Amino acid sequence: MSSGHAWRGNWKVRLYERVRELGYESLTAFANARPAVPLVALADELGEDDIAGVQVLSELRAEAERSHQVTRFVRDVLVRELSECLPEGWPDVMDDANRFKVAMALGSWAAFTPETHEERVRRARESLRSTPPPPGWRPLGPDDELLRTLLPDKTV
């Protein structure tokens, strides 16, 4: 995890240099090669001491906006948050501890959602809470069938 050095110098240049050093043309390509890996882990792989998860998030969003793939980005962020908070998949028992984990994943996801998608994400969160996925459900990427049902690709 970054120790505060992430904001020194031109972090965007540093981030994209690291991405290219690893053989990728974009941060999105780098992230796509690591589906369901939490944002902080992606940042650590790019530079444990000088790249932060929020920087990775910011640039993934910017690339998604430029390529008109924001809905896929929103699904991708949910996958990464679920992977971090629920590494064993959707809980089979919704006790207090699991309710907290689900709330953390869904709350972080909502916080990271672009304004253009807030209402769609609110409805998707309500759907996940009212009709939970099967126990153990763990989407492995943004093209998961259930996620595409909750947030289909369409112009917002």
Side-chain angles (χ1 to χ4, degrees), residues 25-68:
E25 293 186 21
S26 69
L27 181 59
T28 301
F30 168 79
N32 286 345
R34 293 149 182 81
V37 172
L39 294 164
V40 171
L42 292 177
D44 284 348
E45 188 174 343
L46 290 169
E48 191 170 331
D49 294 325
D50 61 359
I51 301 290
V54 68
Q55 293 168 329
V56 171
L57 174 73
S58 173
E59 287 307 296
L60 284 173
R61 178 179 171 172
E63 287 184 10
E65 289 170 345
R66 286 191 296 272
S67 66
H68 307 286

Side-chain angles (χ1 to χ4, degrees), residues 5-92:
H5 299 289
W7 301 104
R8 292 186 184 159
N10 190 332
W11 64 267
K12 288 183 184 183
V13 168
R14 184 171 54 249
L15 183 143
Y16 282 102
E17 283 174 351
R18 304 276 172 74
V19 166
R20 283 189 298 280
E21 286 170 6
L22 292 170
Y24 296 93
E25 293 186 21
S26 69
L27 181 59
T28 301
F30 168 79
N32 286 345
R34 293 149 182 81
V37 172
L39 294 164
V40 171
L42 292 177
D44 284 348
E45 188 174 343
L46 290 169
E48 191 170 331
D49 294 325
D50 61 359
I51 301 290
V54 68
Q55 293 168 329
V56 171
L57 174 73
S58 173
E59 287 307 296
L60 284 173
R61 178 179 171 172
E63 287 184 10
E65 289 170 345
R66 286 191 296 272
S67 66
H68 307 286
Q69 295 286 314
V70 178
T71 301
R72 189 173 196 281
F73 160 78
V74 169
R75 289 193 310 259
D76 183 64
V77 171
L78 176 57
V79 169
R80 294 176 192 285
E81 291 302 311
L82 289 171
S83 178
E84 184 171 15
C85 296
L86 300 168
E88 303 301 317
W90 199 266
D92 56 345

